Amino acid sequence: MTARKRTSSAVTNPENPPPATKEHKPTVASGEDFRLAPPKLGVIFVISSLLCSLYLYLLCFHYNVDDELKRPILINAGLSLVGFFVTLKLIPVAARYVLRRNMFGFDINKRGTPQGEVKVPESLGIVVGIVFLIVAIIFQFFNFTEDSLWLVEYNAALASICFMILLGFVDDVLDVPWRVKLLLPSFATLPLLMAYAGHTTIVIPKPLVSYVGLKILDLGRIYKLYMALLAVFCTNSINIHAGLNGLEIGQTVVIAAAILIHNVMQIGASVDSELRQAHAFSIYLTQPLMATSLAMLAFNWYPSAVFVGDTYTVFAGMTMAVVGILGHFSETLLIFFLPQVLNFLLSLPQLAGIVKCPRHRLPKFDPATGLLTGTKDGTLVNVYLRIFGRKSEKSLCIHLLVFQALACAFCFLLRHFLAGWYK
Amino acid sequence: MTARKRTSSVAKSENPPPATKEHKPTVASGEDFSLAPPKLGVIFVISSLLCSLYIYLLCFHYNVDDELKRPILINAGLSLVGFFVTLKLIPVAARYVLRRNMFGFDINKRGTPQGEVKVPESLGIVVGIVFLIVAIIFQFFNFTEDSLWLVEYNAALASICFMILLGFVDDVLDVPWRVKLLLPSFATLPLLMAYAGHTTIVIPKPLVSYVGLEILDLGRIYKLYMALLAVFCTNSINIHAGLNGLEIGQTVVIAAAILIHNVMQIGASVDSELRQAHAFSIYLTQPLMATSLAMLAFNWYPSAVFVGDTYTVFAGMTMAVVGILGHFSETLLIFFLPQVLNFLLSLPQLAGIVKCPRHRLPKFDPATGLLTGTRDGTLVNVYLRIFGRKSEKSLCIHLLVFQALACAFCFLLRHFLAGWYK
């Protein structure tokens, strides 16, 4: 499911004034002054505190992290904070340009209410993507522990993520067929696969060693195929677990928080320098992802003032796949993605065409009560509603984000208990 | 001057809601949209003119190591595939782009029936994406890879990709020109980080006595120079535009010159590092050439598609990248002589000293079909004022020949100054 709330952009638009080479004065559609609703900073403050406090505590107080590693991490955090404010400032500006180009949608989950008539600017994920790239690029200047291998992986990561943002934005603008959309992440992963110089072995779980006959299995090229599929999965799965205000960014920041906590735990508990570098690498890309996403969430939280577009969902998915691959914790990442996996499995019958698949698989909105009711579509959103009853959109989104957080917590528990038994 | 022929995108039609399964696009105004067939004959002539000397030098004249020749030929093969893929994709993309109301009217045909046709814009995105895919896939075939090479290559890809992204965002959202000036600087950053080469310049022999040094280490100023070079290359192609086929035309002429320069340096040099640097440049310039020629088949007079800022900034950035990483940026600047000239002529208007209109195109007379130079400070107009009125196609050919002559002049200059200069 793509940007679920986009309708046709059938608007007559007064002529764009020919931009002079000097001053550029945009006029807005219909001649009225366009004003974006103010960012919901209070909500963001609460969400940030909930998500980041444990991570910051672990990083700065609980674990004794080497100064050599801690300094770049804190510098990166500082740059990410700057990225947060830059994104916050840029989104209202970009929203005006985007609306002028008739890239907007109507909020389907508010149809029948006055809010449902508002033109919501689409594809603001491009702002997040560009600020993320600039922060990530600038950070290279501050990382003192750079070596050739690190630079290769970092630049390959940047190339992959940048290519994905490009393809996502092209999709948002031109609306490419869904089959092409499935294929695109594979191309974007190629720089990554080339640069991946890590092991392609997997450790056989202890209980299965007797059956398999090996302790370590070298998958070679199949591992690279697995990496490519992981990227395709991550980018698309966030896309289809969507449809509620704030759900796309919300699930991303919850998983990002889990990633950061996992990274810092591995750094703190490990003596293997290579492993610590790998997890630090993941932090260097996840902190900017978190910060820029939270800035957009300030505008996207219920009720959404902007929509994120495919640009954001594929960017977020690709970034998380990249850190999972280069940080060597892709199996852990998959368990963080448990709700997305669930949603994908539920969606399979409709995606495969066995069951009829409508344009939007959103729950049914009742303007009178303001509540959503689950339909028979195979999505986590609908199934959740059918199990737990009707909910308002905001409440349902919060429920699903808590569910996401519980899945991540479950992963940590699983790792803890299986640690000795599994590997 | 940006995509000079864009007018307001007055939206008329509804986008059909895409089904999750089969995507059946309907076209604006309900008529079947069909792109004019590619002008393959013209492309064949242009390709032969540009590539024959290069291929002769590469395969017959110089005795290039097999170890270097094989990746170059593989890259050439991939670029050829890229050529055909681009050829196939442009008509498809043109339909999507038109559906999104990204089109312009050909100002140099205003008053004739051709001037009423909606020409799809920003098709440079197709060239950019195919280029990136070819460049990415090529990594799998380069056997002489090492860490340093991979860093530079990935940094190059990141820079070029970021530039394509910014160019396409500009085409879609129409960002203010001041932002447009700044953007290439951000896109160059991955490159500047990865640049592990020397930051020294060789002082020309006649000046050594004045400077007191034979080699001067510029350090950070060299990196600043690299960033400015990128900003210049991306913007200068943009403002030397306005005629059908001029943007792509100047790019492929310079690209041919780059390739010839690269192969000459490889053939004449024993320094392995230098040869690697020039091979690196070939690996990115061949795909640029091939994909650009494919789009030129549609963009040559009369243009069936427009390239958009996406193409001009992509081409400029790619050439700046190969010039920087191939260590021949001064040579590149001399290839860019017409662009430098155009920039200098444009300065008064860009700086605001002289009034600067939206378009600085020559005046088109529908009756005769000829263009007359105005008083604007562009190479196009100055050329017309010196050499008299011309048709658009003829003027474009003249300017491309001028570009080729400038490149040839550069080779002559290098030849004669070789002993005297360095």
Side-chain angles (χ1 to χ4, degrees):
Chain A
M1 301 289 108
T2 49
R4 30 125 211 152
K5 300 171 197 238
R6 182 191 307 170
T7 59
S8 59
S9 43
V11 175
T12 51
N13 189 20
E15 287 211 9
N16 282 338
T21 50
K22 297 236 197 121
E23 197 56 68
H24 191 79
K25 294 181 182 43
T27 56
V28 183
S30 339
E32 56 195 83
D33 249 328
F34 170 70
R35 274 300 205 56
L36 203 62
K40 301 160 194 71
L41 291 171
V43 178
I44 296 312
F45 183 73
V46 170
I47 294 180
S48 310
S49 315
L50 286 173
L51 294 177
C52 301
S53 43
L54 179 59
Y55 165 67
L56 289 170
Y57 165 72
L58 290 174
L59 174 68
C60 303
F61 303 109
H62 190 258
Y63 290 110
N64 189 14
V65 183
D66 265 356
D67 256 358
E68 212 182 84
L69 214 53
K70 200 192 261 192
R71 190 180 297 127
I73 292 179
L74 291 177
I75 291 176
N76 185 282
L79 284 173
S80 304
L81 195 64
V82 172
F84 172 85
F85 288 109
V86 170
T87 311
L88 214 58
K89 277 256 161 265
L90 278 185
I91 285 182
V93 175
R96 219 173 310 154
Y97 281 87
V98 153
L99 261 194
R100 209 167 46 132
R101 255 321 212 166
N102 294 318
M103 289 169 61
F104 63 85
F106 295 106
D107 200 332
I108 294 181
N109 280 341
K110 298 180 181 49
R111 210 186 280 167
T113 71
Q115 186 81 9
E117 308 290 311
V118 175
K119 283 190 220 155
V120 185
E122 269 274 17
S123 312
L124 268 301
I126 188 64
V127 179
V128 177
I130 291 180
V131 176
F132 172 89
L133 284 174
I134 294 179
V135 168
I137 291 172
I138 291 179
F139 172 69
Q140 283 184 94
F141 288 96
F142 292 98
N143 188 26
F144 311 117
T145 55
E146 54 173 273
D147 59 65
S148 261
L149 185 63
W150 189 90
L151 270 178
V152 175
E153 293 193 340
Y154 199 75
N155 277 291
L158 286 184
S160 288
I161 296 172
C162 185
F163 197 22
M164 201 66 229
I165 297 175
L166 175 66
L167 295 174
F169 190 62
V170 170
D171 175 34
D172 266 344
V173 173
L174 301 183
D175 218 357
V176 305
W178 74 273
R179 285 198 187 93
V180 178
K181 242 207 291 270
L182 267 187
L183 198 64
L184 298 181
S186 343
F187 287 117
T189 351
L190 289 176
L192 202 62
L193 296 181
M194 264 311 292
Y196 184 73
H199 63 95
T200 52
T201 57
I202 57 170
V203 176
I204 305 288
K206 285 203 189 105
L208 298 175
V209 170
S210 39
Y211 296 102
V212 180
L214 289 164
K215 273 205 193 160
I216 295 182
L217 178 64
D218 188 348
L219 291 176
R221 287 201 171 163
I222 300 185
Y223 196 82
K224 294 210 164 180
L225 179 67
Y226 156 68
M227 281 162 48
L229 292 175
L230 180 70
V232 175
F233 174 73
C234 288
T235 50
N236 284 293
S237 65
I238 296 184
N239 216 354
I240 63 173
H241 182 43
L244 307 176
N245 289 173
L247 183 58
E248 301 92 346
I249 312 186
Q251 65 191 281
T252 301
V253 294
V254 171
I255 300 176
I259 290 176
L260 288 174
I261 292 171
H262 176 67
N263 289 146
V264 78
M265 281 173 69
Q266 291 296 304
I267 291 178
S270 157
V271 290
D272 181 354
S273 153
E274 205 186 288
L275 188 76
R276 294 213 304 239
Q277 280 292 343
H279 282 279
F281 188 97
S282 163
I283 290 182
Y284 298 148
L285 292 178
T286 311
Q287 284 184 153
L289 171 68
M290 179 82 124
T292 49
S293 300
L294 285 170
M296 183 151 70
L297 189 57
F299 292 96
N300 182 251
W301 186 254
Y302 184 93
S304 290
V306 301
F307 289 149
V308 302
D310 278 355
T311 313
Y312 178 79
T313 58
V314 298
F315 152 68
M318 178 55 101
T319 305
M320 293 194 283
V322 162
V323 300
I325 289 170
L326 293 179
H328 303 311
F329 60 93
S330 53
E331 316 88 37
T332 309
L333 185 73
L334 269 178
I335 308 182
F336 289 155
F337 268 69
L338 209 54
Q340 283 74 16
V341 173
L342 218 60
N343 185 55
F344 170 67
L345 294 174
L346 288 169
S347 303
L348 263 181
Q350 286 181 301
L351 292 179
I354 305 172
V355 176
K356 182 180 173 309
C357 190
R359 165 76 181 102
H360 291 301
R361 299 188 295 154
L362 292 172
K364 189 162 166 41
F365 176 68
D366 181 4
T369 54
L371 297 179
L372 293 167
T373 316
T375 65
K376 300 194 128 227
D377 288 309
T379 62
L380 192 55
V381 171
N382 282 308
V383 167
Y384 197 94
L385 281 172
R386 287 197 349 245
I387 295 178
F388 295 101
R390 302 186 306 169
K391 297 210 174 333
S392 74
E393 185 177 358
K394 177 156 141 183
S395 152
L396 176 61
C397 185
I398 295 176
H399 273 245
L400 288 171
L401 294 183
V402 169
F403 179 59
Q404 186 85 49
L406 288 176
C408 296
F410 167 71
C411 176
F412 283 111
L413 245 85
L414 203 70
R415 284 187 61 94
H416 178 76
F417 284 118
L418 294 185
W421 174 75
Y422 180 73
K423 293 196 179 186
Chain B
M1 302 290 110
T2 49
R4 33 151 190 142
K5 297 164 202 243
R6 182 189 307 169
T7 59
S8 60
S9 43
V10 180
K12 286 193 299 190
S13 59
E14 286 209 10
N15 281 337
T20 49
K21 295 239 203 121
E22 194 57 65
H23 193 77
K24 293 180 181 47
T26 56
V27 184
S29 340
E31 57 197 77
D32 249 327
F33 170 71
S34 203
L35 205 62
K39 302 157 193 74
L40 291 171
V42 179
I43 296 313
F44 183 74
V45 171
I46 295 179
S47 309
S48 315
L49 286 172
L50 295 177
C51 302
S52 43
L53 178 58
Y54 164 68
I55 296 177
Y56 164 72
L57 290 174
L58 175 68
C59 301
F60 302 110
H61 188 258
Y62 290 110
N63 189 13
V64 182
D65 265 356
D66 255 359
E67 209 179 88
L68 214 53
K69 199 192 261 189
R70 190 180 297 124
I72 293 179
L73 291 177
I74 291 176
N75 185 283
L78 284 174
S79 304
L80 196 64
V81 172
F83 172 85
F84 288 109
V85 171
T86 310
L87 214 58
K88 275 260 163 267
L89 278 185
I90 284 182
V92 175
R95 217 173 312 157
Y96 281 87
V97 152
L98 260 194
R99 208 169 47 135
R100 255 320 210 168
N101 293 315
M102 288 168 65
F103 63 85
F105 295 107
D106 200 333
I107 293 181
N108 280 341
K109 297 178 182 50
R110 213 186 278 169
T112 70
Q114 186 81 9
E116 309 289 311
V117 174
K118 284 192 219 151
V119 184
E121 270 275 16
S122 312
L123 267 301
I125 187 64
V126 179
V127 177
I129 291 179
V130 176
F131 171 90
L132 284 173
I133 294 179
V134 168
I136 291 172
I137 291 180
F138 172 68
Q139 283 185 94
F140 288 95
F141 293 99
N142 188 26
F143 311 119
T144 55
E145 53 175 274
D146 60 66
S147 261
L148 187 63
W149 189 90
L150 269 179
V151 175
E152 291 192 343
Y153 199 76
N154 277 292
L157 287 185
S159 287
I160 296 172
C161 184
F162 197 21
M163 200 67 228
I164 298 175
L165 174 66
L166 295 174
F168 190 63
V169 170
D170 175 35
D171 267 345
V172 173
L173 300 184
D174 217 355
V175 305
W177 73 273
R178 283 197 188 93
V179 178
K180 246 209 287 271
L181 268 186
L182 198 64
L183 297 181
S185 345
F186 286 117
T188 351
L189 289 175
L191 202 63
L192 296 181
M193 264 312 291
Y195 183 73
H198 62 97
T199 51
T200 56
I201 56 170
V202 177
I203 305 291
K205 286 206 190 106
L207 299 175
V208 170
S209 36
Y210 296 104
V211 181
L213 290 166
E214 274 196 0
I215 295 183
L216 178 64
D217 188 347
L218 291 176
R220 285 200 171 165
I221 301 186
Y222 196 82
K223 294 210 164 181
L224 180 65
Y225 156 69
M226 281 164 42
L228 292 175
L229 180 71
V231 176
F232 174 75
C233 289
T234 49
N235 284 292
S236 65
I237 297 185
N238 218 354
I239 62 174
H240 183 42
L243 307 176
N244 289 175
L246 184 58
E247 301 93 345
I248 312 187
Q250 65 192 282
T251 301
V252 294
V253 170
I254 300 176
I258 290 176
L259 289 174
I260 292 172
H261 176 66
N262 290 146
V263 78
M264 280 173 68
Q265 291 296 302
I266 291 179
S269 156
V270 290
D271 181 353
S272 155
E273 204 184 290
L274 188 77
R275 294 212 307 237
Q276 280 292 341
H278 282 277
F280 189 98
S281 163
I282 290 182
Y283 299 147
L284 292 178
T285 311
Q286 284 184 152
L288 171 67
M289 178 82 122
T291 49
S292 299
L293 285 171
M295 182 151 70
L296 189 57
F298 292 96
N299 183 249
W300 187 253
Y301 182 95
S303 290
V305 301
F306 289 149
V307 302
D309 279 355
T310 314
Y311 178 79
T312 58
V313 298
F314 152 68
M317 179 56 103
T318 304
M319 294 194 282
V321 163
V322 300
I324 289 169
L325 293 179
H327 303 311
F328 60 92
S329 53
E330 317 89 36
T331 309
L332 185 72
L333 269 177
I334 309 183
F335 289 156
F336 267 70
L337 210 56
Q339 282 73 17
V340 173
L341 217 60
N342 184 54
F343 169 67
L344 293 174
L345 289 169
S346 304
L347 263 181
Q349 286 182 302
L350 292 179
I353 304 171
V354 176
K355 181 177 172 313
C356 189
R358 165 75 179 102
H359 291 298
R360 300 188 295 155
L361 293 172
K363 188 159 166 44
F364 176 67
D365 181 3
T368 55
L370 297 179
L371 293 168
T372 317
T374 65
R375 308 194 110 219
D376 288 309
T378 62
L379 193 55
V380 170
N381 282 307
V382 167
Y383 197 94
L384 281 173
R385 282 184 8 232
I386 294 177
F387 294 101
R389 301 186 308 169
K390 300 209 173 327
S391 75
E392 184 177 358
K393 178 158 140 182
S394 153
L395 176 61
C396 185
I397 295 176
H398 273 245
L399 288 171
L400 293 183
V401 169
F402 179 60
Q403 186 86 49
L405 288 176
C407 296
F409 167 71
C410 175
F411 283 111
L412 245 86
L413 203 69
R414 284 185 61 93
H415 177 77
F416 284 119
L417 294 185
W420 175 75
Y421 181 71
K422 293 193 180 187

